[in-house]
Amino acid sequence: MKGKRILTGKYFMMGNTACAEGAIAAGCELAAGYPITPATEIANRLAERFPQVGGVFLQVEDEISAIAAIIGASWTGKKVITATSGPGISLMLENIGFAVGVETPCVIVNVQRGAPTTGMPTAGVTGDMVQVKRGSHGDYEIIALCPSSPQEMFDHTVLAFNYAEKYRTPVFILSDAFVGHMREEVVIPPPEQIETVYRKLPEPGTDPTQIKGFLDEDVAPMPIFGRGFKAHVTSSCHDEYGKRNLSDVSALDHFVRKLSNKILKHKDEIIRVEKNYQDAEVVLVSYGAVSRAAAMAALRAGEEGLAVGTFRLITAWPFPEEEIEKMARKAKKIIVLENNLGQLYPYIKAAAAHYADVYFLPPRVLGEIHDPENILKKIREVIQ
Amino acid sequence: MSELINPLHRFIRPGVTSTTNCPGCGNGIVAQAILRAIDELSMDLDDCVFASGIGCSAWVPSPFFNADVLHTTHGRPIAFALGIKMGLPQKKVMVVSGDGDLAAIGGNHLIHNARRNVEMTVICLNNSIYGMTGGQAAPTTPMGLKTTTTPYGAYENTFDISNLVIAAGASFVARWTTYHPRQLTASIKKAIRKKGFSFIEVITQCPVQYGRKTGSGSAVEMLREYKEKSVSVKEAAKLSEEDLQDRIIVGELIDKEKPEMVEEIMKMKKRASGENS
Amino acid sequence: MNRTEILVGGVGGQGVILTGILLGTAATLFDGKKAVQTQAYSSEQRGGMARAEVILSSEAITDPQVRKPDILIALAEDAVIRHLKKIKPQGLLVIDSDLAQEVKPGDYQVLKVPATSMAEQEGNIVVANLIILGALIKKTGLLSVPAMEKAIEVSVPPKAKALNLNAFRRGLEFKI
């Protein structure tokens, strides 16, 4: 092999490149995608690096095919990824629901851009925060991470694979053009320091008719193809054995609830937040790159003698409502900062408004990260 | 008294006791041809992975074949199959679906994977109608035909799916009807062994949504019509375009050698990793 | 080193982004500092607006966006028009004086470098940005010369290494 699989070392690296390296470090072997700004660097990097280390990047005819191909490959036991931006996610949504329904581990990167529609491809706007959770039809749960730096593009991608494998679910990296194209110091640790998880499989030689490969809230073993498990994998309503049932609504109820509870039951293990709000009167709630501007605003507010804390969602989904409620019980006022017109704001407000006043502040111009000066202005305004 | 068991019964998923097909449906003939081909090649179902889409024909392998089966979303089985083939290049990947699934909503995946010439066998059951949803017009519905969405007669030109796939670059394409189960089985065997994208179009009867509503009659009448209309590739070559109107050209339409994608990827990986190819 | 904000403006194809990458690479990998580089550009591959933002600091960088540049590097006239209003009081404006001539006097220093003609003498106008970087480092001592030279070595294609290094060194010799 010409290339090293894990490029241990320190780099001044672009976020999208770090994401691709994170995938390789996590043991991903197959990616499929379609070119789209501002995510293309991930495909380019994987296309260059994968063949050197035993993987394959497939450039397919559209994003529908990209998500389908990675789901198909995941069912053969491979760790898989696709990277796109909002328009690509819009095309993938039906098959994202498929991946949820048949419990397929996969990582989907959305380097979000100025939207709706074609919008402004090079502008970083986190406008698809709810789409990944609510875009495909029906009730379902997914996991989504919000990196704020190139280092986190690497770290979160590794974590996303681990979550995908552990919970047999699609996991999203909700980046944006700003973080995807950001360059910063990235440290890739030695292989032994990178934790990687692989999905549970049925015991080899198990009688195929006895394999309960679906709908276990504690995650069923995945009867991957090619091992004699004779898996019947259907996105139609099915039972633990994969057997289709299209006539009994109680089977549907069971199907939907088990799938959702598989994530919700493990919320405490999945959810990650960054908290720094002890004794704070005002707490700035944010995620992604905006959280870095929030950190600076809180620091400057402290210099002015104002008690301002921060709360950062690292996982947007499952939604950390208990953590937000806990924070709201301590804070008097909460300012939600998002680089959009308020996508997670209603969810945050619903969790916090009983205990604290909740305000929303978009950036002065969508596509720019909030100026800490403007955040300070808002802090002074809500304190009065 | 000894019990008589169909030799192909061992390929049926245990516990599946009934069929979802309507009486007279062509699905069973095609299912049997596929399983017989696998049997005659001395293969096991564990050598295969099946993918299907949405619609009646997609239910041929799902859940009946006792194999790894991925029953996917509408139009996408070939796109899923591409990923399966990449993950398990040594397995025979087969897609079984209908004309609406493969040629309407999934047309893009059909032509692009034919172009890639990625090794897989796609069996398209073409009944010229949307059966499961109640008899709507498809891209294969003949001009003038009254369906539930063309109550005054279909007004669109149709796809010749086999010719479409040939033009897109597949290395093996055959067309048969459900009147030709033996020939169909022989072509499926060839298709399975083909190093490349192999496509078989099976003209099949839907007596309920097509026969009954369009006046084509019962399954028996439709099969008789297939018999009468069919003309072999060899015979067809002697006939004029006018003579061929309303005929079904059956046989192996193309069988050629060309670079196959999975093999090309293996070569590319060797180049990239610095190994000598 | 306190937080130092640098904005590089120009048009696509001038090496605007590379200029930012070189500063960030030198700072993080070879000068023991922290750096964040971000960018903005329009969809044209050549000739469209391009902007690189770099923040350098001895400490971890929170806010990743340049708000009021301490240093504005204008590789094209358009960049002066577009960005000069954002410059910090007593900031430094560095211009390629071959391409940007008109600069209104204001509360900032101006370093005029005839970078395009100097680069032409070096053999290729595409390295005008390296001339500018040389002059900037000489003027400010922002980063060490060895760190910058190593950054150039690891960031440009091997074939272009000599051209870029020579241009950078030529910039270092520019009389300020």
Side-chain angles (χ1 to χ4, degrees):
Chain A
M1 294 276 175
K2 194 157 87 181
K4 259 175 46 183
R5 203 167 65 80
I6 298 175
L7 299 179
T8 304
K10 187 165 108 171
Y11 302 88
F12 187 64
M13 193 178 263
M14 185 191 262
N16 281 345
T17 311
C19 172
E21 290 301 331
I24 296 168
C28 176
E29 291 176 275
L30 190 124
Y34 188 87
I36 186 167
T37 304
T40 313
E41 293 85 3
I42 300 173
N44 293 355
R45 182 76 167 194
L46 289 173
E48 184 191 342
R49 284 265 288 137
F50 258 156
Q52 297 178 0
V53 298
V56 175
F57 168 78
L58 292 174
Q59 184 178 322
V60 288
E61 56 273 18
D62 55 29
E63 287 87 348
I64 298 173
S65 185
I67 180 83
I70 68 161
I71 294 169
S74 182
W75 271 95
T76 70
K78 303 284 184 198
K79 291 188 180 181
V80 296
I81 192 169
T82 185
T84 186
S85 189
I89 297 285
S90 293
L91 286 178
M92 288 181 187
L93 282 169
E94 186 191 18
N95 283 339
I96 287 169
F98 179 89
V100 170
V102 300
E103 304 175 60
T104 310
C106 55
V107 174
I108 302 162
V109 185
N110 181 356
V111 187
Q112 297 167 88
R113 65 187 223 181
T117 188
T118 308
M120 189 185 280
T122 54
V125 180
T126 53
D128 315 336
M129 297 303 295
V130 181
Q131 181 196 34
V132 294
K133 172 65 175 72
R134 293 270 180 238
S136 200
H137 49 285
D139 280 311
Y140 64 94
E141 296 291 331
I142 47 87
I143 299 172
L145 294 154
C146 311
S148 67
S149 66
Q151 181 68 54
E152 286 186 346
M153 287 290 278
F154 179 89
D155 296 341
H156 286 189
T157 303
V158 174
L159 181 62
F161 274 97
N162 290 347
Y163 280 161
E165 294 288 321
K166 192 168 178 191
Y167 301 105
R168 270 181 70 184
T169 180
V171 180
F172 291 86
I173 303 283
L174 289 176
S175 180
D176 60 55
F178 190 66
V179 176
H181 285 161
M182 182 190 291
R183 285 183 183 82
E184 202 169 17
E185 184 180 299
V186 173
V187 176
I188 299 180
E192 64 275 12
Q193 285 175 26
I194 300 172
E195 192 206 344
T196 54
V197 175
Y198 190 79
R199 67 195 72 166
K200 203 161 55 179
L201 303 179
E203 283 298 318
T206 311
D207 175 359
T209 63
Q210 300 305 309
I211 296 171
K212 287 189 176 182
F214 303 92
L215 304 183
D216 184 338
E217 288 182 1
D218 287 319
V219 193
M222 185 170 175
I224 58 171
F225 297 162
R227 307 269 179 111
F229 296 138
K230 299 180 182 298
H232 182 240
V233 185
T234 175
S235 54
S236 293
C237 171
H238 53 263
D239 66 10
E240 281 82 355
Y241 298 95
K243 192 175 174 214
R244 181 166 50 218
N245 186 333
L246 299 185
S247 51
D248 181 0
V249 286
S250 66
L252 179 67
D253 179 87
H254 183 256
F255 172 64
V256 177
R257 284 182 201 264
K258 289 285 174 185
L259 283 177
S260 289
N261 287 344
K262 186 179 69 175
I263 303 296
L264 296 177
K265 188 180 168 185
H266 301 280
K267 265 176 92 165
D268 293 346
E269 301 158 32
I270 298 167
I271 286 174
R272 296 195 175 200
V273 296
E274 219 169 66
K275 302 180 278 193
N276 186 13
Y277 57 77
Q278 247 192 336
D279 307 320
E281 189 183 345
V282 179
V283 178
L284 306 173
V285 179
S286 60
Y287 53 87
V290 177
S291 63
R292 299 176 62 155
M296 179 172 268
L299 191 79
R300 289 215 197 131
E303 288 163 5
E304 286 184 23
L306 303 170
V308 176
T310 55
F311 182 101
R312 174 188 167 209
L313 294 88
I314 293 175
T315 46
W317 308 106
F319 188 72
E321 54 220 354
E322 286 88 359
E323 291 284 355
I324 287 171
E325 192 187 304
K326 221 188 292 171
M327 175 267 295
R329 282 171 183 270
K330 287 188 145 191
K332 291 198 183 82
K333 290 162 197 298
I334 291 168
I335 304 172
V336 178
L337 308 166
E338 291 186 81
N339 184 7
N340 55 47
L341 293 182
Q343 296 216 344
L344 293 189
Y345 172 56
Y347 294 87
I348 295 166
K349 194 171 178 181
H354 188 66
Y355 307 101
D357 298 333
V358 187
Y359 305 86
F360 177 69
L361 182 69
R364 193 180 54 84
V365 176
L366 278 180
E368 287 181 356
I369 304 300
H370 302 62
D371 189 333
E373 282 303 322
N374 290 341
I375 303 174
L376 266 171
K377 231 182 264 170
K378 185 76 178 178
I379 293 169
R380 293 188 202 111
E381 184 189 307
V382 304
I383 280 179
Q384 273 175 6
Chain B
M1 200 175 86
S2 62
E3 202 183 346
L4 289 175
I5 295 173
N6 187 314
L8 299 177
H9 188 261
R10 68 182 200 280
F11 289 152
I12 303 300
R13 189 176 291 278
V16 177
T17 50
S18 62
T19 164
T20 45
N21 302 332
C22 304
C25 175
N27 274 7
I29 296 172
V30 181
Q32 183 146 195
I34 296 169
L35 295 178
R36 199 178 293 276
I38 289 168
D39 185 47
E40 288 178 12
L41 289 171
S42 303
M43 285 167 55
D44 191 84
L45 277 186
D46 282 349
D47 299 326
C48 309
V49 179
F50 292 89
S52 66
I54 296 295
C56 298
S57 333
W59 290 33
V60 168
S62 162
F64 304 102
F65 292 1
N66 194 25
D68 290 327
V69 179
L70 190 66
H71 193 155
T72 74
T73 48
H74 196 20
R76 317 300 167 200
I78 297 176
F80 283 90
L82 172 65
I84 296 170
K85 185 68 186 174
M86 292 311 303
L88 293 171
Q90 73 283 15
K91 297 284 178 193
K92 296 294 179 185
V93 177
M94 294 179 80
V95 172
V96 186
S97 233
D99 51 312
D101 192 71
L102 296 172
I105 186 167
N108 207 24
H109 311 303
L110 177 68
I111 57 172
H112 279 280
N113 286 287
R115 168 182 66 79
R116 293 180 180 113
N117 198 35
V118 53
E119 185 190 327
M120 65 170 76
T121 298
V122 177
I123 296 174
C124 175
L125 288 83
N126 180 359
N127 59 10
S128 307
I129 201 97
Y130 284 88
M132 192 174 268
T133 46
Q136 292 78 26
T140 44
T141 300
M143 190 81 102
L145 202 76
K146 286 181 181 167
T147 72
T148 50
T149 46
T150 56
Y152 309 108
Y155 42 79
E156 293 184 22
N157 291 302
T158 59
F159 255 153
D160 178 331
I161 308 178
S162 287
N163 275 336
L164 174 72
V165 177
I166 291 169
S171 57
F172 181 88
V173 178
R175 184 194 292 116
W176 295 106
T177 79
T178 40
Y179 180 75
H180 305 92
R182 285 178 191 284
Q183 296 92 324
L184 174 61
T185 304
S187 280
I188 294 174
K189 282 161 73 178
K190 269 196 182 174
I192 289 174
R193 281 179 304 196
K194 187 75 191 177
K195 193 89 199 154
F197 189 89
S198 54
F199 181 83
I200 298 176
E201 179 181 4
V202 190
I203 308 294
T204 180
Q205 74 278 12
C206 174
V208 173
Q209 300 299 358
Y210 192 97
R212 193 165 54 95
K213 289 187 182 160
T214 65
S216 296
S218 69
V220 174
E221 283 166 311
M222 290 180 78
L223 282 168
R224 188 175 295 129
E225 189 186 331
Y226 295 159
K227 178 190 172 187
E228 284 159 7
K229 282 189 176 173
S230 289
V231 52
S232 73
V233 178
K234 222 181 202 175
E235 286 298 313
K238 298 175 199 158
L239 298 175
S240 68
E241 206 171 305
E242 212 173 30
D243 293 336
L244 284 173
Q245 282 227 327
D246 208 33
R247 303 295 294 272
I248 305 168
I249 303 174
V250 295
E252 283 161 16
L253 306 172
I254 202 155
D255 184 1
K256 63 181 177 188
E257 303 304 318
K258 58 187 290 190
E260 189 275 331
M261 193 190 79
V262 180
E263 226 169 56
E264 292 302 312
I265 286 178
M266 296 305 169
K267 287 187 209 164
M268 177 273 288
K269 282 169 83 167
K270 279 189 175 169
R271 286 197 302 274
S273 62
E275 288 172 39
N276 293 326
S277 46
Chain C
M1 175 189 225
N2 289 329
R3 179 184 169 102
T4 305
E5 298 187 353
I6 304 161
L7 196 158
V8 189
V11 295
Q14 279 191 310
V16 170
I17 310 291
L18 178 66
T19 305
I21 292 173
L22 289 173
L23 288 167
T25 305
T28 52
L29 300 188
F30 305 112
D31 236 356
K33 297 184 170 69
K34 303 289 177 195
V36 179
Q37 182 258 325
T38 56
Q39 58 201 45
Y41 57 92
S42 48
S43 287
E44 301 93 327
Q45 292 287 310
R46 293 286 179 272
M49 172 279 289
R51 182 180 86 216
E53 299 186 357
V54 188
I55 301 164
L56 305 178
S57 176
S58 309
E59 294 180 8
I61 297 162
T62 51
D63 180 26
Q65 201 145 46
V66 165
R67 306 295 173 181
K68 285 201 165 88
D70 299 276
I71 299 165
L72 170 61
I73 300 173
L75 298 177
E77 181 115 50
D78 175 65
V80 180
I81 298 161
R82 218 182 260 268
H83 304 302
L84 188 57
K85 53 184 179 286
K86 299 178 206 160
I87 199 166
K88 197 174 273 178
Q90 283 149 48
L92 172 66
L93 169 67
V94 188
I95 56 166
D96 182 338
S97 51
D98 292 326
L99 302 178
Q101 277 117 18
E102 293 299 311
V103 177
K104 275 186 286 182
D107 185 13
Y108 42 80
Q109 295 182 65
V110 185
L111 172 59
K112 292 184 181 180
V113 187
T116 298
S117 45
M118 286 169 74
E120 207 169 0
Q121 289 161 21
E122 289 299 315
N124 198 330
I125 59 163
V126 297
V127 289
N129 58 334
L130 271 292
I131 305 265
I132 293 263
L133 275 176
L136 172 73
I137 295 299
K138 184 184 182 193
K139 164 98 181 158
T140 61
L142 197 61
L143 296 165
S144 76
V145 171
M148 281 301 296
E149 291 191 344
K150 279 185 208 151
I152 294 166
E153 280 175 22
V154 300
S155 306
V156 305
K159 265 197 281 183
K161 216 191 299 187
L163 176 69
N164 280 273
L165 273 173
N166 289 341
F168 175 69
R169 287 171 187 154
R170 182 78 201 280
L172 282 174
E173 290 160 10
F174 179 68
K175 286 203 185 73
I176 291 161

